[in-house]
């Protein structure tokens, strides 16, 4: 008599973490975040997308022996394509919820519990960056991006844990890299998002707003003890911002 196959475990939560040259932050990130994922008490998978790192990031990840961690490598394509690849892998694994954070480990993990505990009543849950250390140029780009989304798609609805609106201006951090998304809604959004999107999270937020999905936002602060990185304007970021603005406009017309 043959051995009966083990039933597949339904994946409740997929965590997408794009990586590019973050060798100093990866192990502290796992140390601080893994207990939170474990406390969620659901089947989960952490998906690192290494975007062609040239430091020891990939080697360090390869040394971590943990069945909840999956490492995917690709040639350097940028943060946006890495995030999108992680989202598509998450959906292929059958996850019910997809959570994304960045590997620089700049933000306080404590906000995750608020997102997770409020998930059943919402489709998109964002931890918006309250104290973003950025130059005037980067702040200007963020403001223009937010205005474009609000003008073309609407402002969205922010809700606190009681379900009451806590911000009449709606979603403010449209590109937040600290987000929990209902996978069924994300799958619909990804059908419209171009593979080469510079800032796919902006487009995904815009899609959730346009579809009048239930959106929850809270504020998050920089992680205590983190070495602060100031967000600066560079030629690459400027070109990307212009590209993203056009992609956001075209996305509205799809």
């Amino acid at each position: 008599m043959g051995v009966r196959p083990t039933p597949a475990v339904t994946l409740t939560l997929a965590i997408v973490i794009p990586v590019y040259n973050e060798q100093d932050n990866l192990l502290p990130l796992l140390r601080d975040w893994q207990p939170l994922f474990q406390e969620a008490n659901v089947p989960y998978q952490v998906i690192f997308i290494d975007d062609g790192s040239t430091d020891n990031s990939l080697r360090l990840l390869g040394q971590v022996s943990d069945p909840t961690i999956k490492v995917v490598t690709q040639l350097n394509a940028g943060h946006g394509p890495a995030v999108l690849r992680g989202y598509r892998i998450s959906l292929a694994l059958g996850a019910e919820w997809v959570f994304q954070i960045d590997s620089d480990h700049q933000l306080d993990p404590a906000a995750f519990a608020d997102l997770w505990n409020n998930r059943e009543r919402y489709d998109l849950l964002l931890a918006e960056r309250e104290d973003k250390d950025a130059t005037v140029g980067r702040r200007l780009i963020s403001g223009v991006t937010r205005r474009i989304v609000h003008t073309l798609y609407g402002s969205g609805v922010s809700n606190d844990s009681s379900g009451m609106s806590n911000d009449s201006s709606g979603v403010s951090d449209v590109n937040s890299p600290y987000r929990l998304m209902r996978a069924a809604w994300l799958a619909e959004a990804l059908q419209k998002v171009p593979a080469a999107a510079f800032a796919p999270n902006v487009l995904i937020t815009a899609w959730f707003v346009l579809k009048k999905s239930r959106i929850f936002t809270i504020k998050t602060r920089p992680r205590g003890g983190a070495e602060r990185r100031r967000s600066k304007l560079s030629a690459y970021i400027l070109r990307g911002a212009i590209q993203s603005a056009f992609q956001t406009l075209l996305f509205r017309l799809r």
Side-chain angles (χ1 to χ4, degrees):
M1 185 175 180
V3 177
R4 299 180 62 181
T6 302
V9 175
T10 300
L11 185 64
T12 303
L13 174 64
I15 300 102
V16 174
I17 308 177
V19 178
Y20 180 71
N21 290 354
E22 293 290 353
Q23 62 181 17
D24 295 332
N25 291 313
L26 293 174
L27 297 184
L29 180 146
L30 283 171
R31 176 199 66 209
D32 294 343
W33 280 94
Q34 277 283 44
L36 298 179
F37 301 143
Q38 292 165 358
E39 288 171 9
N41 198 31
V42 295
Y44 73 91
Q45 181 87 66
V46 181
I47 305 167
F48 285 98
I49 307 294
D50 183 80
D51 187 40
S53 292
T54 57
D55 65 355
N56 287 320
S57 294
L58 187 57
R59 181 181 63 82
L60 286 173
L61 289 174
Q63 293 175 349
V64 177
S65 179
D66 187 330
T68 67
I69 293 176
K70 179 180 181 66
V71 180
V72 177
T73 62
Q74 64 180 34
L75 296 177
N76 181 250
H79 182 273
V83 167
L84 284 176
R85 186 171 185 187
Y87 289 165
R88 293 192 169 99
I89 291 172
S90 300
L91 296 177
L93 292 173
E96 297 177 30
W97 291 91
V98 179
F99 178 64
Q100 192 252 312
I101 51 172
D102 281 346
S103 55
D104 57 8
H105 199 22
Q106 290 284 295
L107 300 174
D108 188 356
F112 174 75
D114 286 322
L115 301 187
W116 185 251
N117 292 335
N118 283 286
R119 71 191 185 282
E120 294 301 339
R121 293 189 292 120
Y122 299 97
D123 307 302
L124 171 65
L125 301 96
L126 299 171
E128 299 185 318
R129 294 163 287 188
E130 187 174 46
D131 180 21
K132 185 178 179 181
D133 188 9
T135 62
V136 172
R138 285 300 297 268
R139 290 181 184 276
L140 178 61
I141 285 177
S142 296
V144 170
T145 301
R146 179 173 62 251
R147 182 62 61 88
I148 290 173
V149 170
H150 286 185
T151 300
L152 295 177
Y153 299 86
S155 61
V157 178
S158 301
N159 296 280
D160 61 22
S161 59
S162 65
M164 301 297 292
S165 174
N166 62 15
D167 184 355
S168 60
S169 65
V171 178
S172 60
D173 193 356
V174 295
N175 196 30
S176 171
Y178 197 139
R179 58 180 54 218
L180 179 65
M181 298 167 285
R182 191 180 294 272
W185 283 73
L186 175 61
E188 290 189 39
L190 289 185
Q191 293 178 15
K192 305 290 185 179
V193 176
F198 180 82
N201 280 340
V202 172
L203 302 183
I204 291 168
T205 300
W207 188 90
F208 274 92
V209 170
L210 181 65
K211 296 300 181 179
K212 301 187 184 303
S213 65
R214 300 166 297 173
I215 300 175
F216 173 87
T217 68
I218 57 172
K219 299 297 183 182
T220 187
R221 295 182 177 182
R223 177 177 63 88
E227 182 178 349
R228 298 293 298 277
R229 295 182 181 179
R230 195 167 201 208
S231 183
K232 300 178 181 179
L233 182 62
S234 64
Y236 171 77
I237 293 296
L238 181 59
R239 288 194 301 270
I242 295 171
Q243 178 185 354
S244 179
F246 279 109
Q247 289 175 340
T248 306
L249 173 61
L250 293 175
F251 189 66
R252 182 65 178 87
L253 301 176
R254 283 173 173 260

